[in-house]
Amino acid sequence: MLPFNSDRIPVVVVGSGVIGLTTAVTLQRTQRYQVTVIGRDTPDDLHGPPSVSQTWASPFAGANWRAYSGAHEPQLRMAEEQTYFRLRDIAQESPRSGVKIIPMADFGASQKERAQTPAFLDYVKNLKKIERKNWPFNAAFGYSYDSISVNVLQYLPWLAAELRRLGGVIRRATLDHIGDALKYADGCSLVVNCSALGSAALGGVMDKSVYPVRGQTVLVKAPHVNLTTMRPGETADKATYIIPRGNGTVILGGVFEAHSNDLLENTHTTDEILRNCLSMCPQLLDQRESTDMFRNAVTDDDVEKLRKNILAVSVGFRPAREGGPRLEVQREGGVTIVHNYGQASYGFQTSWGYASLAMHILDAALTGKAKL
Ligand SMILES: Cc1cc2nc3c(=O)[nH]c(=O)nc-3n(C[C@H](O)[C@H](O)[C@H](O)COP(=O)(O)OP(=O)(O)OC[C@H]3O[C@@H](n4cnc5c(N)ncnc54)[C@H](O)[C@@H]3O)c2cc1C
């Protein structure tokens, strides 16, 4: 670990999910900032028995890189592209990070994608068209390319270790007011707010445009599956996705239930996920061949067999925000606050891009060039 360096500018990052930790690593790496992360939940929670709070989104993510930006979303596009290449580097350089490059069959997921070609097709690696006859019935398009799978339970502790190796500090605390963050670093007047859904109730922020989007996933043992697959659902609040983690386990999903706070498993949703995923990927059961690519008949017996391979069913809440993520500076008395939250269903796949954007906003605020 590098020593705490008092020549650097102290900054407190509130939140130690993927956005807070990535922002902290980005700032600390410049050797200009000395970062203290404050979190009600921290990656240290992931080492002991499973007692992770469901209000903390990051441990419940799939998580897969699959971009969403359209032609008129340059900030999101930048964040997706920058993160794609950074995660590829991490996968290649740091096998212990839990980040893996995995091929993906992608059939489009949104109404937007029926209207315009997604921007990410310009830069993803190993892009190939999938023949139309092999598309599921409701696909918007069909491409395969190198995607990235993140084993979140490995990656969050890896990010925390990376921050500590660089000399950053992580402390557990629950704040009532954003200004209280300053108590955790001497002489500090800079705060980066990455408290996600916490921003709705955090004094000095109280952002009422933040809301949860409930997700439910099923983790199964399926060592034969090595292709990520995604297709749209019957309605906008559903999609079918199969994300191998590269360690013999696979995440199956899922649902997007805006404004739902239901913490419990919906067993009907679990059954639907198992059935939909089997119809696209019979290899979930064994090495059997697909008969009709992505539209295989699924029997009740198949569903029961797959149920026996379930390792966990999880419910988590994506931190969404009306109008999209908040990246801007706020001044409160003598305190400068940079906000970086509201990444909804794409926090992992945009984390490095939004972290560098937050850093540019902070740099500009310090030199007096930021828009207030
Ligand atoms: C089922 C599911 C599947 C997903 N799949 C993907 C995917 O495939 N790809 C992808 O990119 N993303 C995916 N996501 C989305 C992703 O998980 C989120 O976008 C991301 O985790 C948000 O990270 P965050 O750091 O902003 O928030 P969080 O992880 O929620 O972290 C917030 C932090 O703030 C802290 N905090 C809050 N309030 C306070 C307070 N008052 N005082 C102190 N600390 C506070 C919390 O303790 C926590 O440390 C998925 C999410 C779900 C639920």
Side-chain angles (χ1 to χ4, degrees):
M1 193 210 268
L2 299 177
F4 188 95
N5 192 326
S6 58
D7 296 338
R8 300 183 189 183
I9 305 166
V11 51
V12 177
V13 173
V14 179
S16 64
V18 69
I19 296 296
L21 291 170
T22 312
T23 304
V25 169
T26 300
L27 293 171
Q28 185 72 28
R29 249 200 338 217
T30 62
Q31 305 193 7
R32 284 183 281 120
Y33 295 102
Q34 176 57 46
V35 181
T36 302
V37 173
I38 298 298
R40 183 190 55 214
D41 312 283
T42 82
D44 295 337
D45 301 351
L46 304 173
H47 294 306
S51 62
V52 178
S53 160
Q54 281 168 281
T55 54
W56 180 24
S58 295
F60 297 91
N64 173 53
W65 185 97
R66 200 295 188 172
Y68 292 101
S69 62
H72 305 297
E73 296 165 300
Q75 192 184 83
L76 179 57
R77 186 197 154 124
M78 173 286 297
E80 291 166 343
E81 184 170 353
Q82 201 173 328
T83 307
Y84 182 73
F85 288 101
R86 181 78 191 106
L87 288 177
R88 275 180 70 87
D89 288 347
I90 292 173
Q92 281 158 351
E93 290 160 13
S94 308
R96 289 202 198 150
S97 61
V99 179
K100 298 233 158 78
I101 299 170
I102 302 225
M104 171 163 178
D106 183 345
F107 297 101
S110 68
Q111 288 305 323
K112 185 170 77 182
E113 287 167 347
R114 294 178 193 284
Q116 56 184 252
T117 308
F120 68 85
L121 296 177
D122 288 352
Y123 61 84
V124 288
K125 300 288 178 192
N126 288 322
L127 180 71
K128 293 185 192 86
K129 261 192 174 163
I130 297 174
E131 278 185 79
R132 198 177 192 110
K133 68 177 168 59
N134 288 326
W135 295 9
F137 62 94
N138 56 353
F141 54 72
Y143 289 98
S144 70
Y145 55 86
D146 281 358
S147 177
I148 293 158
S149 168
V150 180
N151 182 338
V152 295
L153 299 181
Q154 231 178 305
Y155 184 58
L156 294 167
W158 180 85
L159 274 176
E162 194 59 12
L163 177 65
R164 289 175 170 135
R165 187 183 66 76
L166 293 165
V169 174
I170 302 176
R171 295 181 61 180
R172 186 185 306 280
T174 301
L175 303 183
D176 292 328
H177 193 281
I178 189 81
D180 296 343
L182 300 183
K183 291 184 203 154
Y184 294 89
D186 287 345
C188 181
S189 62
L190 302 178
V191 180
V192 184
N193 173 28
C194 305
S195 63
L197 287 175
S199 289
L202 185 60
V205 182
M206 294 288 188
D207 185 344
K208 295 305 173 202
S209 57
V210 169
Y211 63 94
V213 177
R214 182 180 176 281
Q216 183 169 317
T217 56
V218 185
L219 180 70
V220 295
K221 205 169 138 212
H224 306 302
V225 176
N226 46 27
L227 176 73
T228 295
T229 313
M230 184 169 173
R231 76 159 182 220
E234 307 298 309
T235 49
D237 61 348
K238 290 184 181 165
T240 299
Y241 56 82
I242 298 158
I243 308 173
R245 287 187 158 171
N247 64 355
T249 68
V250 179
I251 289 270
L252 310 177
V255 288
F256 300 80
E257 294 167 351
H259 302 284
S260 167
N261 286 305
D262 188 355
L263 298 170
L264 300 177
E265 174 193 355
N266 177 330
T267 52
H268 173 73
T269 302
T270 302
D271 287 357
E272 201 173 48
I273 289 172
L274 296 179
R275 194 169 284 277
N276 286 340
C277 290
L278 274 169
S279 79
M280 290 179 75
C281 182
Q283 297 83 353
L284 281 164
L285 286 177
D286 48 45
Q287 270 174 320
R288 72 182 72 174
E289 287 294 307
S290 173
T291 47
D292 179 8
M293 210 178 173
F294 308 121
R295 272 171 289 184
N296 296 277
V298 180
T299 65
D300 291 348
D301 201 30
D302 289 336
V303 175
E304 290 317 308
K305 269 194 208 146
L306 185 55
R307 201 188 302 282
K308 291 202 178 90
N309 297 343
I310 292 180
L311 301 171
V313 178
S314 303
V315 172
F317 299 89
R318 305 168 178 96
R321 182 172 179 270
E322 282 156 30
R326 184 175 182 196
L327 278 119
E328 63 181 355
V329 68
Q330 175 188 347
R331 306 242 197 218
E332 280 266 316
V335 187
T336 299
I337 302 157
V338 172
H339 296 287
N340 182 9
Y341 65 87
Q343 279 82 2
S345 54
Y346 45 82
F348 281 84
Q349 65 192 41
T350 56
S351 50
W352 290 99
Y354 280 120
S356 63
L357 188 55
M359 184 176 73
H360 290 311
I361 295 171
L362 186 61
D363 289 345
L366 284 179
T367 54
K369 288 183 190 150
K371 267 198 215 163
L372 297 184

